[in-house]
Amino acid sequence: MFRTLAFINIVLTLGLIVIGGLVSADFTGLECTSWPICYAPTVDKASIYPILHRIFAGIIIILNTILFIKKPKERAVRLGLFLLILQSLLGGINFIYKLPTLVSVFHLMLSFAYIAIFAQLFVPDIEKISEKIVSYNPKAKDFVFVMLLIALVQFFFGGVIHQTATKDVCGMGENINILCNTANGIKFWPSTVAAQIHSLHKYLGILFLLTLIVYLFSIIKTALSLHGRAFKQFSFLSSSLVILFLIHLFNAKRLFLLTDTTYFQVLHLLLAVLISLNLIFLFQWFKKFEEVNLGGYQHTFASDMLSLTKPRLGLLVVSTIISGILLTGEYIDFFYLVNALVFSILIVMSATTINCYMEIDVDANMVRTKNRALPAGRVKPIYALIQGWILFIVGFLATYFFVNTATALLGALAFFSYLYVYTPMKRKSPAALFVGALPGAIPPVMGRTIVTGEIDGLAILLFTILFIWQIPHFMAISIYHKQDYAEGDIKVYPHFYSITKMKICIAVWTFLLALSAVSGYFFDLNSKNFFIASIIVNGLFFAQSLQSFFIDDEESYVAWARQYFWGSIIYLPLLLSLMIFLS
């Protein structure tokens, strides 16, 4: 019953994306004069799509709630419910404030993320192959990962094109060209932002095709070594990927040859979702196959070098940079923004890579880190050092020359303080936590300086919030990784403080976080709406910190610390989102 409801949920969300595509293509969302229910003046073709869109969204929320009641501990259900709440809030705020295109595209990306989360429940089981596998190529998995990244980026740019109805900026009809056909002739890189986005979208498609061809050549030996159920699964996933891409390619051509392309646009969107889902299934198949038949995940040099950059941490840092950018409320060139983010990511990746190099011996002594690329001996330390410094030099110089001096200097400050002050200090004193919070709080300030070129009052407020947030966040982590840190000779407060003192510390810092979050209103940095919303969010988070005082046994205390950690992960993006949309 649970899997059936989950499958229905996926189908309905696909339907929601299709209907949302029709709403965007025809701009019929303007027919709705209210939210969350759509009260259109008349029910006709122009209003039926937005009405259906709201109905589908309501059914999906009800279904996810039922799934949550049935299996409240299921990770997909909990994440799905969180995304639904976020999407609903985003939809309502978008309606009220008529937010820009990128917000609508983000709304679309959340729908895909929602499907992807539930799709994990349907990844097929892998059977054990009795014969020895000698021709398996783990590098094929890397190509699948690259294709998935390309597909997601292309999905984003395609959403921008779809939302802004700019598909004809590079020519239509029989004059269509791989390059951009402008009024001034055929250009590889046109002058307008709309045409540049359109061109990049096409070039990404070509890159995807080339990667797909390389992938197909890389799996020949692997396919020949498989048989039975594993061969059928692998063949189906790989062949369906090719078929979907060819249909997608043919449909893309139709988009440019026809004038009335509403349904082809929506089909194009749906095919993009299906291709991305296919790639997720294929990547998960590789992982499961390796676990069952090869004794665990098969690392490659490329995947190990990427892991040194700690992509998940990078995503969190980038999200805080983006929050600083969006809070400026100023016009910013699209590709200037993209370049600034990419250069900032390079600096973050450089710091995490060199950090891995500096802590090889520490990671080797800790259970959760001893299988990382460097302590496990899969990558030579010199490669990590070279990669780290190349990333920093390129990121810093590019930021300095193509963004601005303030952002480059902030990035350098975060880089050096993290590596050469915090990293050695954390093996000597638990007070390193406060030193490490300094570089951790710089990214949102970089977001402000990317746009304004200077540090202002709101930048200082963001720095304060991020600085304080890290203290109880990492205190909670150190509670349930206390033994691990002891084995790595990393000094954390649970090694020195009693359980009661740790509870008090986390509660006090959470209260200080609440004060800093609401303080912006009194300095005219935030709106009254955000002030009210912030009181509610901070009140709930502070209540979670106080929950520890009603826990007596150590096991429950450790479990609470893990729950607090996840609460802090939800709290931060929620608070920053409210600050952006309600300011």
Short mmCIF file of all heavy atoms in Angstrom, two decimals, residues 3 121-129 133 136 144 215-216 219 222-243 277-293:
data_model
loop_
_atom_site.label_atom_id
_atom_site.label_comp_id
_atom_site.label_asym_id
_atom_site.label_seq_id
_atom_site.Cartn_x
_atom_site.Cartn_y
_atom_site.Cartn_z
N ARG A 3 4.02 1.66 -1.10
CA ARG A 3 4.69 1.84 -2.39
C ARG A 3 3.71 2.29 -3.46
O ARG A 3 4.05 3.09 -4.34
CB ARG A 3 5.40 0.55 -2.82
CG ARG A 3 6.67 0.27 -2.04
CD ARG A 3 7.25 -1.09 -2.40
NE ARG A 3 7.63 -1.17 -3.80
CZ ARG A 3 8.81 -0.77 -4.28
NH1 ARG A 3 9.72 -0.26 -3.46
NH2 ARG A 3 9.09 -0.89 -5.56
N LEU A 121 12.80 5.12 -3.90
CA LEU A 121 12.11 3.95 -3.33
C LEU A 121 11.91 2.84 -4.36
O LEU A 121 11.63 1.70 -4.00
CB LEU A 121 10.74 4.36 -2.77
CG LEU A 121 10.74 5.41 -1.65
CD1 LEU A 121 9.32 5.85 -1.34
CD2 LEU A 121 11.42 4.86 -0.40
N PHE A 122 12.07 3.17 -5.65
CA PHE A 122 11.76 2.21 -6.71
C PHE A 122 13.00 1.77 -7.50
O PHE A 122 12.87 1.18 -8.57
CB PHE A 122 10.72 2.82 -7.67
CG PHE A 122 9.41 3.10 -7.00
CD1 PHE A 122 9.15 4.36 -6.45
CD2 PHE A 122 8.44 2.12 -6.89
CE1 PHE A 122 7.95 4.62 -5.82
CE2 PHE A 122 7.23 2.38 -6.25
CZ PHE A 122 6.99 3.63 -5.72
N VAL A 123 14.18 2.06 -6.97
CA VAL A 123 15.40 1.56 -7.60
C VAL A 123 15.39 0.03 -7.49
O VAL A 123 15.21 -0.51 -6.39
CB VAL A 123 16.66 2.13 -6.91
CG1 VAL A 123 17.92 1.52 -7.51
CG2 VAL A 123 16.68 3.65 -7.06
N PRO A 124 15.56 -0.70 -8.59
CA PRO A 124 15.42 -2.16 -8.57
C PRO A 124 16.49 -2.84 -7.72
O PRO A 124 17.63 -2.35 -7.60
CB PRO A 124 15.57 -2.56 -10.05
CG PRO A 124 16.33 -1.43 -10.68
CD PRO A 124 15.89 -0.20 -9.95
N ASP A 125 16.12 -3.98 -7.12
CA ASP A 125 17.08 -4.79 -6.36
C ASP A 125 18.03 -5.49 -7.33
O ASP A 125 17.68 -5.82 -8.46
CB ASP A 125 16.34 -5.83 -5.52
CG ASP A 125 15.52 -5.17 -4.42
OD1 ASP A 125 15.95 -4.13 -3.91
OD2 ASP A 125 14.44 -5.71 -4.09
N ILE A 126 19.24 -5.72 -6.87
CA ILE A 126 20.27 -6.34 -7.69
C ILE A 126 20.53 -7.76 -7.19
O ILE A 126 20.66 -7.98 -5.97
CB ILE A 126 21.58 -5.53 -7.63
CG1 ILE A 126 21.34 -4.06 -8.01
CG2 ILE A 126 22.64 -6.15 -8.54
CD1 ILE A 126 20.86 -3.84 -9.42
N GLU A 127 20.62 -8.70 -8.12
CA GLU A 127 20.91 -10.08 -7.74
C GLU A 127 22.41 -10.34 -7.73
O GLU A 127 23.18 -9.69 -8.45
CB GLU A 127 20.23 -11.06 -8.69
CG GLU A 127 20.75 -11.00 -10.11
CD GLU A 127 20.11 -12.01 -11.04
OE1 GLU A 127 19.13 -12.67 -10.62
OE2 GLU A 127 20.58 -12.16 -12.17
N LYS A 128 22.82 -11.26 -6.88
CA LYS A 128 24.23 -11.64 -6.78
C LYS A 128 24.61 -12.51 -7.97
O LYS A 128 23.94 -13.49 -8.29
CB LYS A 128 24.46 -12.40 -5.48
CG LYS A 128 25.88 -12.89 -5.26
CD LYS A 128 26.79 -11.78 -4.83
CE LYS A 128 28.17 -12.31 -4.46
NZ LYS A 128 29.12 -11.24 -4.13
N ILE A 129 25.70 -12.12 -8.66
CA ILE A 129 26.18 -12.90 -9.80
C ILE A 129 27.22 -13.89 -9.30
O ILE A 129 28.18 -13.52 -8.63
CB ILE A 129 26.78 -11.97 -10.88
CG1 ILE A 129 25.69 -11.05 -11.45
CG2 ILE A 129 27.42 -12.78 -12.01
CD1 ILE A 129 26.18 -10.04 -12.45
N ILE A 133 33.38 -11.29 -11.82
CA ILE A 133 33.23 -10.20 -12.78
C ILE A 133 34.62 -9.60 -13.04
O ILE A 133 35.25 -9.06 -12.14
CB ILE A 133 32.27 -9.13 -12.25
CG1 ILE A 133 30.90 -9.76 -11.97
CG2 ILE A 133 32.14 -7.97 -13.23
CD1 ILE A 133 29.96 -8.86 -11.22
N TYR A 136 34.21 -5.30 -15.46
CA TYR A 136 33.41 -4.18 -15.00
C TYR A 136 34.23 -2.89 -15.04
O TYR A 136 35.38 -2.85 -14.62
CB TYR A 136 32.91 -4.43 -13.58
CG TYR A 136 32.10 -3.30 -13.00
CD1 TYR A 136 30.77 -3.11 -13.38
CD2 TYR A 136 32.66 -2.41 -12.08
CE1 TYR A 136 30.03 -2.06 -12.86
CE2 TYR A 136 31.92 -1.37 -11.55
CZ TYR A 136 30.60 -1.20 -11.94
OH TYR A 136 29.87 -0.17 -11.43
N VAL A 144 27.89 8.81 -16.05
CA VAL A 144 26.47 8.97 -15.69
C VAL A 144 26.31 10.18 -14.78
O VAL A 144 25.38 10.99 -14.95
CB VAL A 144 25.93 7.70 -14.99
CG1 VAL A 144 24.50 7.92 -14.48
CG2 VAL A 144 25.96 6.51 -15.95
N TYR A 215 30.01 7.39 -22.79
CA TYR A 215 29.44 6.42 -21.84
C TYR A 215 29.11 5.10 -22.53
O TYR A 215 29.44 4.03 -22.01
CB TYR A 215 28.19 7.01 -21.18
CG TYR A 215 27.33 5.97 -20.50
CD1 TYR A 215 27.70 5.43 -19.27
CD2 TYR A 215 26.14 5.51 -21.08
CE1 TYR A 215 26.93 4.47 -18.65
CE2 TYR A 215 25.36 4.56 -20.47
CZ TYR A 215 25.76 4.03 -19.25
OH TYR A 215 24.98 3.07 -18.64
N LEU A 216 28.48 5.17 -23.71
CA LEU A 216 28.09 3.95 -24.42
C LEU A 216 29.30 3.11 -24.80
O LEU A 216 29.26 1.87 -24.73
CB LEU A 216 27.28 4.32 -25.67
CG LEU A 216 25.90 4.94 -25.40
CD1 LEU A 216 25.24 5.40 -26.69
CD2 LEU A 216 25.00 3.95 -24.65
N ILE A 219 30.72 1.19 -21.62
CA ILE A 219 29.96 0.10 -20.99
C ILE A 219 29.93 -1.19 -21.81
O ILE A 219 29.29 -2.16 -21.40
CB ILE A 219 28.50 0.54 -20.71
CG1 ILE A 219 27.76 0.84 -22.04
CG2 ILE A 219 28.45 1.71 -19.75
CD1 ILE A 219 26.28 1.07 -21.87
N THR A 222 31.41 -4.08 -19.84
CA THR A 222 30.55 -4.32 -18.67
C THR A 222 29.28 -5.05 -19.08
O THR A 222 28.88 -6.03 -18.44
CB THR A 222 30.19 -3.00 -17.98
OG1 THR A 222 31.38 -2.34 -17.57
CG2 THR A 222 29.29 -3.24 -16.78
N ALA A 223 28.64 -4.60 -20.16
CA ALA A 223 27.40 -5.23 -20.63
C ALA A 223 27.64 -6.68 -21.02
O ALA A 223 26.80 -7.57 -20.76
CB ALA A 223 26.84 -4.44 -21.81
N LEU A 224 28.78 -6.97 -21.66
CA LEU A 224 29.09 -8.33 -22.10
C LEU A 224 29.36 -9.27 -20.93
O LEU A 224 29.18 -10.50 -21.05
CB LEU A 224 30.30 -8.32 -23.04
CG LEU A 224 30.08 -7.64 -24.41
CD1 LEU A 224 31.39 -7.57 -25.19
CD2 LEU A 224 29.00 -8.38 -25.21
N SER A 225 29.80 -8.71 -19.80
CA SER A 225 30.10 -9.55 -18.64
C SER A 225 28.87 -9.83 -17.78
O SER A 225 28.93 -10.64 -16.84
CB SER A 225 31.18 -8.89 -17.78
OG SER A 225 30.69 -7.70 -17.20
N LEU A 226 27.76 -9.16 -18.06
CA LEU A 226 26.54 -9.35 -17.28
C LEU A 226 25.64 -10.40 -17.93
O LEU A 226 25.73 -10.66 -19.12
CB LEU A 226 25.77 -8.03 -17.17
CG LEU A 226 26.47 -6.87 -16.46
CD1 LEU A 226 25.63 -5.62 -16.55
CD2 LEU A 226 26.76 -7.21 -15.01
N HIS A 227 24.76 -10.94 -17.13
CA HIS A 227 23.76 -11.87 -17.66
C HIS A 227 22.57 -11.93 -16.68
O HIS A 227 22.65 -11.42 -15.56
CB HIS A 227 24.36 -13.27 -17.87
CG HIS A 227 24.94 -13.88 -16.63
ND1 HIS A 227 26.25 -13.70 -16.27
CD2 HIS A 227 24.38 -14.64 -15.66
CE1 HIS A 227 26.49 -14.34 -15.14
NE2 HIS A 227 25.37 -14.91 -14.74
N GLY A 228 21.51 -12.55 -17.17
CA GLY A 228 20.33 -12.70 -16.32
C GLY A 228 19.64 -11.40 -16.02
O GLY A 228 19.58 -10.48 -16.84
N ARG A 229 19.16 -11.27 -14.78
CA ARG A 229 18.39 -10.10 -14.36
C ARG A 229 19.23 -8.82 -14.41
O ARG A 229 18.74 -7.76 -14.82
CB ARG A 229 17.87 -10.34 -12.95
CG ARG A 229 16.94 -9.26 -12.45
CD ARG A 229 16.46 -9.59 -11.05
NE ARG A 229 15.64 -8.54 -10.49
CZ ARG A 229 15.22 -8.52 -9.23
NH1 ARG A 229 15.54 -9.52 -8.43
NH2 ARG A 229 14.48 -7.53 -8.79
N ALA A 230 20.49 -8.91 -14.00
CA ALA A 230 21.36 -7.73 -14.00
C ALA A 230 21.54 -7.18 -15.41
O ALA A 230 21.52 -5.97 -15.63
CB ALA A 230 22.71 -8.09 -13.40
N PHE A 231 21.71 -8.08 -16.39
CA PHE A 231 21.87 -7.65 -17.79
C PHE A 231 20.60 -6.95 -18.29
O PHE A 231 20.67 -5.93 -18.97
CB PHE A 231 22.19 -8.85 -18.67
CG PHE A 231 22.26 -8.52 -20.14
CD1 PHE A 231 23.37 -7.88 -20.67
CD2 PHE A 231 21.20 -8.83 -20.99
CE1 PHE A 231 23.44 -7.56 -22.02
CE2 PHE A 231 21.25 -8.51 -22.34
CZ PHE A 231 22.37 -7.87 -22.85
N LYS A 232 19.44 -7.51 -17.95
CA LYS A 232 18.17 -6.93 -18.39
C LYS A 232 17.97 -5.53 -17.80
O LYS A 232 17.57 -4.60 -18.49
CB LYS A 232 17.01 -7.84 -17.99
CG LYS A 232 16.95 -9.15 -18.75
CD LYS A 232 15.81 -10.03 -18.25
CE LYS A 232 15.78 -11.37 -18.99
NZ LYS A 232 14.71 -12.26 -18.49
N GLN A 233 18.27 -5.40 -16.50
CA GLN A 233 18.12 -4.09 -15.84
C GLN A 233 19.06 -3.05 -16.46
O GLN A 233 18.64 -1.93 -16.79
CB GLN A 233 18.42 -4.23 -14.34
CG GLN A 233 17.39 -5.01 -13.57
CD GLN A 233 17.84 -5.29 -12.14
OE1 GLN A 233 19.03 -5.22 -11.84
NE2 GLN A 233 16.90 -5.59 -11.26
N PHE A 234 20.32 -3.44 -16.61
CA PHE A 234 21.33 -2.53 -17.15
C PHE A 234 21.01 -2.13 -18.59
O PHE A 234 21.11 -0.96 -18.97
CB PHE A 234 22.70 -3.19 -17.07
CG PHE A 234 23.83 -2.31 -17.50
CD1 PHE A 234 24.17 -1.18 -16.78
CD2 PHE A 234 24.55 -2.60 -18.65
CE1 PHE A 234 25.22 -0.34 -17.19
CE2 PHE A 234 25.59 -1.79 -19.07
CZ PHE A 234 25.92 -0.67 -18.33
N SER A 235 20.61 -3.12 -19.39
CA SER A 235 20.29 -2.86 -20.79
C SER A 235 19.08 -1.95 -20.91
O SER A 235 19.05 -1.03 -21.74
CB SER A 235 20.01 -4.17 -21.54
OG SER A 235 21.15 -5.00 -21.51
N PHE A 236 18.08 -2.19 -20.08
CA PHE A 236 16.86 -1.38 -20.12
C PHE A 236 17.16 0.08 -19.75
O PHE A 236 16.73 1.01 -20.46
CB PHE A 236 15.81 -1.95 -19.17
CG PHE A 236 14.59 -1.08 -19.03
CD1 PHE A 236 13.63 -1.05 -20.03
CD2 PHE A 236 14.41 -0.26 -17.92
CE1 PHE A 236 12.51 -0.23 -19.92
CE2 PHE A 236 13.31 0.56 -17.79
CZ PHE A 236 12.34 0.57 -18.80
N LEU A 237 17.91 0.28 -18.66
CA LEU A 237 18.20 1.65 -18.21
C LEU A 237 19.07 2.39 -19.23
O LEU A 237 18.84 3.58 -19.50
CB LEU A 237 18.89 1.61 -16.85
CG LEU A 237 18.02 1.21 -15.66
CD1 LEU A 237 18.86 0.99 -14.41
CD2 LEU A 237 16.94 2.25 -15.40
N SER A 238 20.05 1.72 -19.80
CA SER A 238 20.94 2.38 -20.76
C SER A 238 20.23 2.66 -22.08
O SER A 238 20.37 3.74 -22.66
CB SER A 238 22.18 1.51 -21.00
OG SER A 238 22.96 1.40 -19.83
N SER A 239 19.47 1.68 -22.58
CA SER A 239 18.77 1.87 -23.86
C SER A 239 17.65 2.89 -23.73
O SER A 239 17.42 3.70 -24.65
CB SER A 239 18.22 0.53 -24.37
OG SER A 239 17.32 -0.04 -23.42
N SER A 240 16.95 2.89 -22.60
CA SER A 240 15.87 3.88 -22.41
C SER A 240 16.44 5.29 -22.35
O SER A 240 15.80 6.25 -22.80
CB SER A 240 15.07 3.57 -21.14
OG SER A 240 15.90 3.62 -19.99
N LEU A 241 17.65 5.43 -21.81
CA LEU A 241 18.31 6.73 -21.79
C LEU A 241 18.57 7.24 -23.21
O LEU A 241 18.29 8.40 -23.52
CB LEU A 241 19.63 6.63 -21.02
CG LEU A 241 20.52 7.89 -20.99
CD1 LEU A 241 19.80 9.03 -20.28
CD2 LEU A 241 21.85 7.59 -20.31
N VAL A 242 19.05 6.34 -24.06
CA VAL A 242 19.32 6.72 -25.46
C VAL A 242 18.03 7.08 -26.17
O VAL A 242 17.95 8.09 -26.88
CB VAL A 242 20.04 5.57 -26.20
CG1 VAL A 242 20.19 5.90 -27.68
CG2 VAL A 242 21.39 5.30 -25.57
N ILE A 243 16.99 6.26 -25.99
CA ILE A 243 15.70 6.48 -26.66
C ILE A 243 15.09 7.81 -26.22
O ILE A 243 14.63 8.61 -27.05
CB ILE A 243 14.74 5.31 -26.39
CG1 ILE A 243 15.24 4.04 -27.08
CG2 ILE A 243 13.33 5.64 -26.88
CD1 ILE A 243 14.54 2.78 -26.64
N LEU A 277 15.55 11.52 -14.34
CA LEU A 277 15.17 10.39 -13.48
C LEU A 277 15.86 9.11 -13.94
O LEU A 277 16.31 8.30 -13.11
CB LEU A 277 13.65 10.22 -13.49
CG LEU A 277 12.84 11.22 -12.69
CD1 LEU A 277 11.35 10.97 -12.89
CD2 LEU A 277 13.18 11.12 -11.20
N ASN A 278 15.93 8.91 -15.24
CA ASN A 278 16.61 7.73 -15.79
C ASN A 278 18.07 7.70 -15.34
O ASN A 278 18.60 6.65 -14.95
CB ASN A 278 16.52 7.77 -17.31
CG ASN A 278 16.93 6.46 -17.96
OD1 ASN A 278 18.02 5.95 -17.72
ND2 ASN A 278 16.09 5.91 -18.80
N LEU A 279 18.72 8.85 -15.38
CA LEU A 279 20.12 8.93 -14.96
C LEU A 279 20.28 8.65 -13.47
O LEU A 279 21.25 8.00 -13.05
CB LEU A 279 20.68 10.32 -15.29
CG LEU A 279 20.92 10.59 -16.79
CD1 LEU A 279 21.14 12.07 -17.03
CD2 LEU A 279 22.12 9.79 -17.28
N ILE A 280 19.33 9.12 -12.66
CA ILE A 280 19.37 8.84 -11.22
C ILE A 280 19.24 7.34 -10.98
O ILE A 280 19.99 6.75 -10.18
CB ILE A 280 18.25 9.61 -10.49
CG1 ILE A 280 18.57 11.10 -10.48
CG2 ILE A 280 18.09 9.10 -9.05
CD1 ILE A 280 17.46 11.97 -9.93
N PHE A 281 18.28 6.70 -11.67
CA PHE A 281 18.11 5.25 -11.55
C PHE A 281 19.38 4.51 -11.98
O PHE A 281 19.81 3.55 -11.33
CB PHE A 281 16.93 4.78 -12.40
CG PHE A 281 15.61 4.85 -11.69
CD1 PHE A 281 14.68 5.83 -12.01
CD2 PHE A 281 15.28 3.94 -10.70
CE1 PHE A 281 13.46 5.91 -11.36
CE2 PHE A 281 14.07 4.00 -10.03
CZ PHE A 281 13.15 4.99 -10.37
N LEU A 282 19.97 4.95 -13.07
CA LEU A 282 21.17 4.31 -13.60
C LEU A 282 22.34 4.44 -12.63
O LEU A 282 23.07 3.47 -12.38
CB LEU A 282 21.53 4.91 -14.96
CG LEU A 282 22.57 4.18 -15.82
CD1 LEU A 282 22.19 2.73 -16.04
CD2 LEU A 282 22.72 4.89 -17.16
N PHE A 283 22.51 5.64 -12.06
CA PHE A 283 23.59 5.85 -11.09
C PHE A 283 23.39 4.99 -9.85
O PHE A 283 24.34 4.37 -9.34
CB PHE A 283 23.66 7.33 -10.71
CG PHE A 283 24.86 7.68 -9.88
CD1 PHE A 283 26.11 7.82 -10.46
CD2 PHE A 283 24.74 7.86 -8.50
CE1 PHE A 283 27.23 8.14 -9.70
CE2 PHE A 283 25.86 8.17 -7.73
CZ PHE A 283 27.10 8.30 -8.33
N GLN A 284 22.14 4.93 -9.37
CA GLN A 284 21.84 4.10 -8.19
C GLN A 284 22.02 2.62 -8.50
O GLN A 284 22.41 1.83 -7.63
CB GLN A 284 20.41 4.39 -7.71
CG GLN A 284 20.19 5.75 -7.12
CD GLN A 284 21.01 5.98 -5.88
OE1 GLN A 284 21.32 5.05 -5.14
NE2 GLN A 284 21.39 7.23 -5.62
N TRP A 285 21.72 2.22 -9.75
CA TRP A 285 21.93 0.82 -10.15
C TRP A 285 23.40 0.47 -10.04
O TRP A 285 23.76 -0.60 -9.52
CB TRP A 285 21.44 0.60 -11.59
CG TRP A 285 21.56 -0.84 -12.02
CD1 TRP A 285 20.61 -1.82 -11.89
CD2 TRP A 285 22.72 -1.48 -12.60
NE1 TRP A 285 21.10 -3.02 -12.37
CE2 TRP A 285 22.38 -2.85 -12.79
CE3 TRP A 285 23.98 -1.03 -12.95
CZ2 TRP A 285 23.28 -3.76 -13.35
CZ3 TRP A 285 24.89 -1.94 -13.49
CH2 TRP A 285 24.53 -3.28 -13.70
N PHE A 286 24.29 1.34 -10.54
CA PHE A 286 25.72 1.10 -10.44
C PHE A 286 26.14 0.94 -8.98
O PHE A 286 26.91 0.03 -8.64
CB PHE A 286 26.50 2.27 -11.07
CG PHE A 286 26.72 2.15 -12.55
CD1 PHE A 286 26.02 2.94 -13.44
CD2 PHE A 286 27.64 1.24 -13.05
CE1 PHE A 286 26.24 2.83 -14.81
CE2 PHE A 286 27.85 1.11 -14.41
CZ PHE A 286 27.15 1.92 -15.30
N LYS A 287 25.66 1.81 -8.12
CA LYS A 287 26.04 1.76 -6.71
C LYS A 287 25.57 0.45 -6.05
O LYS A 287 26.33 -0.20 -5.33
CB LYS A 287 25.45 2.96 -5.97
CG LYS A 287 26.13 4.29 -6.29
CD LYS A 287 25.49 5.45 -5.56
CE LYS A 287 25.65 5.34 -4.07
NZ LYS A 287 25.08 6.52 -3.37
N LYS A 288 24.33 0.07 -6.33
CA LYS A 288 23.80 -1.17 -5.75
C LYS A 288 24.52 -2.39 -6.29
O LYS A 288 24.81 -3.34 -5.56
CB LYS A 288 22.29 -1.28 -6.03
CG LYS A 288 21.42 -0.52 -5.05
CD LYS A 288 19.98 -0.98 -5.16
CE LYS A 288 19.12 -0.38 -4.06
NZ LYS A 288 17.74 -0.91 -4.07
N PHE A 289 24.80 -2.38 -7.59
CA PHE A 289 25.50 -3.50 -8.22
C PHE A 289 26.88 -3.69 -7.58
O PHE A 289 27.30 -4.81 -7.30
CB PHE A 289 25.64 -3.26 -9.72
CG PHE A 289 26.36 -4.36 -10.45
CD1 PHE A 289 25.68 -5.50 -10.85
CD2 PHE A 289 27.72 -4.26 -10.71
CE1 PHE A 289 26.35 -6.53 -11.51
CE2 PHE A 289 28.39 -5.27 -11.37
CZ PHE A 289 27.71 -6.42 -11.77
N GLU A 290 27.57 -2.59 -7.34
CA GLU A 290 28.90 -2.66 -6.73
C GLU A 290 28.82 -3.17 -5.29
O GLU A 290 29.67 -3.95 -4.86
CB GLU A 290 29.55 -1.27 -6.77
CG GLU A 290 29.93 -0.84 -8.18
CD GLU A 290 30.38 0.61 -8.27
OE1 GLU A 290 30.27 1.33 -7.25
OE2 GLU A 290 30.82 1.01 -9.35
N GLU A 291 27.81 -2.75 -4.55
CA GLU A 291 27.65 -3.20 -3.17
C GLU A 291 27.39 -4.69 -3.10
O GLU A 291 27.95 -5.39 -2.25
CB GLU A 291 26.51 -2.43 -2.50
CG GLU A 291 26.82 -0.97 -2.23
CD GLU A 291 25.59 -0.20 -1.79
OE1 GLU A 291 24.53 -0.82 -1.61
OE2 GLU A 291 25.69 1.04 -1.62
N VAL A 292 26.54 -5.19 -4.02
CA VAL A 292 26.14 -6.60 -3.98
C VAL A 292 27.22 -7.51 -4.56
O VAL A 292 27.52 -8.58 -4.01
CB VAL A 292 24.81 -6.80 -4.74
CG1 VAL A 292 24.47 -8.29 -4.86
CG2 VAL A 292 23.68 -6.06 -4.04
N ASN A 293 27.83 -7.11 -5.67
CA ASN A 293 28.72 -8.00 -6.40
C ASN A 293 30.22 -7.69 -6.28
O ASN A 293 31.05 -8.54 -6.61
CB ASN A 293 28.34 -8.00 -7.88
CG ASN A 293 27.01 -8.65 -8.14
OD1 ASN A 293 26.87 -9.86 -8.03
ND2 ASN A 293 26.01 -7.83 -8.47
#
